[in-house]
Amino acid sequence: TVADLKGLKQGQLRLAVITTAKYIIPRLLGPFCQLYPGIDISLQVTNHELILDRMMNNLDDLYIMSQIPDHFDVNFQPFLENPLVVFAPANHPLAKEKNIPIERLGEERFIMREPGSGTRSAVQSLLEKHGVKVKVKLELGSNEAIKQAIAGGLGISVLSRHTLLTDAAEFSILDVQNFPIKRDWYMVYPAGKQLSIIAHTYYEYLLDAAKKITEQGGLIPDYNSAEA
Ligand code: PGA
């Protein structure tokens, strides 16, 4: 039977994913492990630059990231969107405003991810493109820590909308021009590499799971439409 065949898949799956993927990948691993009880998993969660290092050193079977490496030949497959949005506390004065000019961000205290973060480089290139300088009050190496700092009133930041999946009520997403920064999550592996049967099984599983999520309207509820 099919179940017997699935039981035959034994071994280890080594995944390394960028920080924003931790809001969805572990959840999707539950059903995967039920389908394939013989597969054990290691999951590394880290920033863009450290994912690149791991890929160069061939430490994992499969990578999830939002920006395809420039200087390294890879196979890649987008599977879900990963937009970056402007986060502020729920009671922020700009929360009710529409179409806020991007220059306005220069007047706010800003919280920025650490060097090496893909979120940080995406935010910096958008700000540079529009000649906007922000006052970085605080630099933090964790999306969750940034959310706590925002909730604590330390400033505003730009984060993946997925980081809001569990606690949307504490935050507002500001309607700033040129946002969201549109990005996707990609499954990536080195171009010369043959995926193991197990990694290939996961690859197909994740594509299929993502397709179902997209068909059901995506992961991301439209928080701001709830305010009315
Ligand atoms: P980061 O990546 O953890 O390197 O910021 C997250 C992302 O690019 O979505």
Side-chain angles (χ1 to χ4, degrees):
T1 69
V2 176
D4 292 335
L5 286 174
K6 282 174 176 166
L8 286 178
K9 288 190 176 155
Q10 304 273 346
Q12 228 209 350
L13 172 65
R14 289 162 306 177
L15 298 175
V17 310
I18 50 170
T19 62
T20 51
K22 82 164 188 199
Y23 292 90
I24 167 74
I25 295 302
R27 261 174 211 258
L28 291 179
L29 282 173
F32 179 75
C33 289
Q34 269 166 10
L35 272 175
Y36 302 104
I39 299 179
D40 299 323
I41 296 161
S42 82
L43 174 65
Q44 298 292 325
V45 180
T46 184
N47 74 17
H48 178 81
E49 194 165 292
L50 292 173
I51 294 279
L52 280 182
D53 285 351
R54 294 188 67 91
M55 199 184 300
M56 301 289 204
N57 290 304
N58 197 22
L59 295 182
D60 312 277
D61 298 312
L62 204 53
Y63 301 87
I64 292 174
M65 61 203 318
S66 265
Q67 201 196 327
I68 304 305
D70 309 324
H71 303 298
F72 194 55
D73 200 10
V74 294
N75 293 322
F76 60 89
Q77 170 71 49
F79 63 97
L80 275 176
E81 53 178 26
N82 180 29
L84 300 179
V85 297
V86 185
F87 271 49
N91 60 359
H92 193 280
L94 292 178
K96 295 243 142 54
E97 287 190 28
K98 297 265 174 273
N99 212 18
I100 301 161
I102 187 169
E103 293 75 20
R104 181 66 181 74
L105 296 181
E107 293 167 40
E108 296 292 317
R109 282 175 305 184
F110 206 84
I111 307 170
M112 190 71 102
R113 281 284 304 276
E114 78 287 0
S117 149
T119 304
R120 176 189 175 107
S121 54
V123 174
Q124 284 182 331
S125 44
L126 182 73
L127 293 174
E128 255 165 50
K129 185 172 153 206
H130 294 276
V132 177
K133 263 204 137 55
V134 290
K135 292 177 279 196
V136 178
K137 179 77 184 166
L138 185 63
E139 214 172 81
L140 280 176
S142 139
N143 298 316
E144 278 309 302
I146 289 181
K147 284 168 59 188
Q148 294 309 316
I150 294 170
L154 273 170
I156 67 172
S157 189
V158 175
L159 294 173
S160 164
R161 205 154 166 180
H162 290 290
T163 66
L164 257 198
L165 278 175
T166 47
D167 45 9
E170 275 197 276
F171 301 96
S172 52
I173 294 176
L174 302 185
D175 179 17
V176 179
Q177 288 170 5
N178 305 106
F179 285 89
I181 303 176
K182 284 212 161 64
R183 304 163 87 223
D184 290 299
W185 278 319
Y186 298 89
M187 280 189 280
V188 181
Y189 60 97
K193 187 165 168 163
Q194 173 92 35
L195 285 184
S196 70
I197 292 179
I198 287 174
H200 183 73
T201 304
Y202 180 74
Y203 187 97
E204 295 295 329
Y205 167 82
L206 186 55
L207 262 189
D208 188 55
K211 202 170 138 225
K212 286 187 186 132
I213 288 171
T214 305
E215 280 165 8
Q216 285 162 18
L219 273 174
I220 307 173
D222 188 0
Y223 299 109
N224 285 348
S225 70
E227 74 187 24

